[in-house]
Amino acid sequence: MANSMSELIQQDMECEGLLECMHGLKELDKRCFQVLTESAEPLTVDEVAEQVGRERSTAYRSVQRLLQTGFIQKEQVNYDQGGYYHVYRPTNPEKIADEMQTMLNEWYAKMGQLIHEFRDKYPESEQSTQSVSIEN
C-alpha cells in the first residue's frame, strides 16, 4: 500500500498499459478480455476458461472483474425448454476509452483542487520569501 502521493504516482507509472493502470486488472483479466474481443460471438465462462487454460472458478472471477469495470457486458440466453445461461461480450472500445478519459479528467480536476487547497492552507510566508532571496 502506498504511504504517500509520490509513492502512489510512482506505483501508477510502473504499471503496463491502460487496463492495468486505470483499473488494476491482472494479467489473466487482460487475457480473458482479449479472448472475448477476438471472438466473433459472445462466450460463456466455460468457453473463456477453456481458451485461457484455467479453471472455471478462476475464469469466472476474472470475468466478474471485467464486468465490474464495464469492459464486458453480460447477456442472458434462454433455452427453448426453459432455463437460461449467460454469455459475455466486450463493450464497445470507444465507450471504454471515453469512460477512461472521463476518469482521467476527474482525477486531474481532483488533484488540481487539492493543490489549490494546499496553497490556501500554506500561503507563501515572509520566511519563505526571505530564504529564496538569500539563495539567489
Side-chain angles (χ1 to χ4, degrees):
M1 192 96 146
N3 296 326
S4 69
M5 180 56 80
S6 62
E7 286 174 16
L8 182 62
I9 290 171
Q10 186 62 37
Q11 184 181 45
D12 282 351
M13 294 303 125
E14 290 169 2
C15 62
E16 297 174 17
L18 285 172
L19 303 187
E20 185 182 343
C21 286
M22 298 194 79
H23 295 281
L25 294 181
K26 302 174 185 204
E27 191 57 42
L28 178 60
D29 304 338
K30 292 188 278 185
R31 284 176 45 214
C32 290
F33 182 63
Q34 186 170 7
V35 161
L36 286 162
T37 56
E38 290 173 352
S39 174
E41 298 292 325
L43 301 174
T44 64
V45 170
D46 290 316
E47 291 167 331
V48 172
E50 187 179 325
Q51 290 198 37
V52 297
R54 301 298 282 271
E55 292 289 323
R56 184 190 195 282
S57 58
T58 305
Y60 180 80
R61 285 191 297 273
S62 225
V63 164
Q64 290 307 301
R65 281 190 293 273
L66 290 167
L67 204 52
Q68 287 168 356
T69 58
F71 279 60
I72 63 172
Q73 298 186 9
K74 177 167 75 171
E75 296 173 354
Q76 181 175 305
V77 178
N78 297 316
Y79 290 113
D80 292 336
Q81 66 273 26
Y84 63 89
Y85 63 98
H86 291 116
V87 292
Y88 301 86
R89 64 175 175 80
T91 302
N92 182 314
E94 276 302 311
K95 185 174 184 226
I96 295 171
D98 288 346
E99 287 172 1
M100 285 193 283
Q101 185 66 58
T102 299
M103 186 186 296
L104 178 61
N105 293 347
E106 288 170 356
W107 182 87
Y108 186 80
K110 179 66 176 171
M111 289 303 108
Q113 179 186 347
L114 291 173
I115 291 167
H116 182 73
E117 289 171 6
F118 177 85
R119 285 190 168 134
D120 287 349
K121 187 172 182 178
Y122 305 104
E124 187 174 357
S125 66
E126 195 68 33
Q127 190 177 12
S128 65
T129 307
Q130 289 173 355
S131 65
V132 169
S133 59
I134 291 169
E135 289 173 10
N136 292 340

